Amino acid sequence: MTEEKAMQPENKMGNMPVDRLLITMSLPMMISMLVQALYNIVDSIFVSRINEYALRAVSLAFPIQSLMIAVAVGTGVGINAFLSRTLGEKDFKKANTIAVNGIFIELVSYVIFVLVGIFVSRPFFASQTVIPEVREYGVVYLTVCCCASIGIFMQITFERLLQSTGRTMYTMVTQGVGAVINLILDPILIFGLFGLPGLGVAGAAAATVIGQIAAAVLAVVLNLKANRELHISFRGFRPDMGLIGNIYKVGVPSIVMQAIGSVMTYGMNLILEAFGAAQTVFGVYFKLQSFIFMPIFGLNNGMVPIIAYNFGAGSRERVVKTIKSSIAYAVGIMLVGLAVMEAFPAQLIGLFNASPELLEIGVPALRIICLSFCFAGYCIVVGSVFQALGNGVYSMIVSIARQLCVLLPVAWLFSLSGNVDLIWWSFPIAELVSLGLSTFFLIRINRNVIRRI
């Protein structure tokens, strides 16, 4: 093992200046995630041209889609953090085993969501709306997205393997290719261009999964060809429950944290059902805010392996510098998003073929909800710091408190007034709670972990 360590060159995560490293690793992912957010928005814009019921159906499908991504990304976070720390310790044989076990558990997760698509889609939509057209649009859309979700699970897995070794430029390529394919196929499959039949919402779902599968295939190829620090082989493979347990030690809190977002979204849809187009407004907001939040998630994806690697390598100074720089960049991005949403709410909602009712509810909604952006950037980065240092349970506690203990109960209480505008204030109120808890846990982890590196 000593000879193997000596033969491996020092990874850039251990010696490149931190700000330059953070930008180098994060910028490609921020750009690719902006493209991802753009195609999510464009996807809904095309769907809104079918009718508002189709747009509402796609919006109501979001909790299950979000849950699926939560499982894929949360598991990927566990793989990434464990793998980066192991590479920082120069244990390359163990790193290969971690990668193979990570791929295996993502495949198991895919099979579970195939069953969700087949058996859960119809009762899920029946619980949220009594409008038959919305139900039928939603069942078709969600069934396709779940049953063909092999692409998103493999794309995220193999992108995390690239990120864990610092090759973030490749993830920009894979995500960009998937997004472009989706954007091209959306109008073709939804409206039936070039002699093809118009598939409506099924076409939107098909365009999404085809783009994801293409990105996954490219990510696999890039790992096999360019990721020299990992050698992926399933020859003689047997699941290693110890390694899987370590992946989920970080991954499960991340999964739970993101899955809580699905529960929150589902709960909000139930609360908003009595307020007409408010469900659609809520869905439109989530599409728009992704354009602001996705760069933060890209920043996090660059930050996590840097912190995990230098934590494993015993470099406290680089860990602290990475945290401070990431918080500064995230807060700046969120303030820009706040300014845009406050200044142009009607124009943003108008992108979705908005009816007068949609605009009447949506304009004040966007202006109120986006006040939470003042604190969100800081809270998101700090939550990822906890995960990178192996304390993902802190992130889970903050997320549970914010979304289940504050946001939903406050939204329900405000809904009793019959004034939908009051409901939106639950978002900035919940973010204030998140700010306080995140700061408390950051002080704690600094005292117990970072100072002892």
Side-chain angles (χ1 to χ4, degrees), residues 99-101 103-104 107 158 232-238:
V100 174
N101 277 271
I103 296 167
F104 168 74
L107 285 170
F158 283 91
I232 300 167
S233 173
F234 278 87
R235 182 176 297 175
F237 169 74
R238 294 181 66 182

Side-chain angles (χ1 to χ4, degrees), residues 264 268 401-412 426-427 430:
M264 182 277 291
M268 284 295 293
R402 173 184 170 271
Q403 299 186 82
L404 300 187
C405 299
V406 180
L407 198 155
L408 279 181
V410 171
W412 177 76
S426 60
F427 286 87

Side-chain angles (χ1 to χ4, degrees), residues 105-282:
I105 57 179
E106 292 276 26
L107 285 170
V108 172
S109 300
Y110 158 65
V111 173
I112 292 171
F113 276 93
V114 170
L115 299 177
V116 170
I118 295 171
F119 297 109
V120 178
S121 295
R122 188 164 296 278
F124 173 73
F125 276 93
S127 69
Q128 296 184 91
T129 180
V130 296
I131 303 173
E133 294 91 339
V134 176
R135 288 186 182 184
E136 292 308 312
Y137 281 135
V139 169
V140 169
Y141 181 82
L142 192 57
T143 302
V144 174
C145 287
C146 287
C147 292
S149 61
I150 182 69
I152 191 64
F153 280 99
M154 290 300 97
Q155 177 188 348
I156 288 172
T157 304
F158 283 91
E159 286 176 352
R160 290 303 184 275
L161 298 184
L162 291 166
Q163 291 167 15
S164 67
T165 58
R167 292 173 173 84
T168 55
M169 184 63 71
Y170 291 123
T171 65
M172 182 179 73
V173 174
T174 57
Q175 291 185 15
V177 166
V180 169
I181 290 173
N182 190 335
L183 287 171
I184 292 171
L185 291 180
D186 255 332
I188 295 174
L189 297 181
I190 291 173
F191 304 116
L193 306 180
F194 306 112
L196 295 175
L199 300 177
V201 293
T208 297
V209 297
I210 291 170
Q212 291 167 349
I213 291 170
V217 170
L218 183 56
V220 171
V221 171
L222 289 172
N223 267 282
L224 296 176
K225 298 293 184 181
N227 209 348
R228 302 181 194 91
E229 289 168 289
L230 295 175
H231 303 283
I232 300 167
S233 173
F234 278 87
R235 182 176 297 175
F237 169 74
R238 294 181 66 182
D240 186 321
M241 300 312 295
L243 293 181
I244 291 173
N246 278 320
I247 290 172
Y248 279 130
K249 182 180 178 181
V250 175
V252 165
S254 179
I255 292 170
V256 171
M257 185 173 63
Q258 295 182 71
I260 288 167
S262 298
V263 175
M264 182 277 291
T265 306
Y266 178 73
M268 284 295 293
N269 282 329
L270 295 181
I271 291 169
L272 296 170
E273 185 181 6
F275 295 90
Q279 281 183 330
T280 308
V281 167
F282 185 53

Side-chain angles (χ1 to χ4, degrees), residues 262-401:
S262 298
V263 175
M264 182 277 291
T265 306
Y266 178 73
M268 284 295 293
N269 282 329
L270 295 181
I271 291 169
L272 296 170
E273 185 181 6
F275 295 90
Q279 281 183 330
T280 308
V281 167
F282 185 53
V284 166
Y285 160 74
F286 261 95
K287 297 293 182 179
L288 292 171
Q289 63 99 35
S290 70
F291 201 71
I292 302 163
F293 279 77
M294 282 295 187
I296 309 296
F297 298 144
L299 176 68
N300 280 356
N301 287 338
M303 176 194 73
V304 166
I306 298 173
I307 292 177
Y309 184 98
N310 286 285
F311 178 46
S315 179
R316 182 179 63 169
E317 181 182 354
R318 291 177 66 80
V319 169
V320 172
K321 175 63 175 172
T322 303
I323 293 170
K324 289 181 178 179
S325 295
S326 299
I327 290 173
Y329 295 144
V331 171
I333 292 169
M334 294 304 295
L335 290 178
V336 171
L338 170 65
V340 171
M341 202 164 280
E342 285 286 352
F344 307 107
Q347 292 85 343
L348 292 172
I349 295 173
L351 294 172
F352 298 87
N353 200 29
S355 64
E357 182 187 10
L358 209 61
L359 284 169
E360 182 182 358
I361 296 176
V363 169
L366 261 58
R367 283 186 166 148
I368 295 169
I369 296 174
C370 74
L371 295 175
S372 63
F373 293 178
C374 296
F375 322 112
Y378 167 85
C379 295
I380 292 169
V381 169
V382 170
S384 293
V385 169
F386 300 154
Q387 294 165 12
L389 295 175
N391 288 265
V393 68
Y394 289 170
S395 303
M396 183 175 67
I397 293 171
V398 173
S399 188
I400 290 172

Side-chain angles (χ1 to χ4, degrees), residues 39-62:
Y39 91 68
N40 282 332
I41 291 173
V42 172
D43 189 67
S44 292
I45 289 173
F46 282 128
V47 169
S48 71
R49 267 50 183 183
I50 300 172
N51 57 52
E52 189 175 317
Y53 286 157
L55 178 60
R56 188 176 304 184
V58 172
S59 298
L60 294 179
F62 183 78

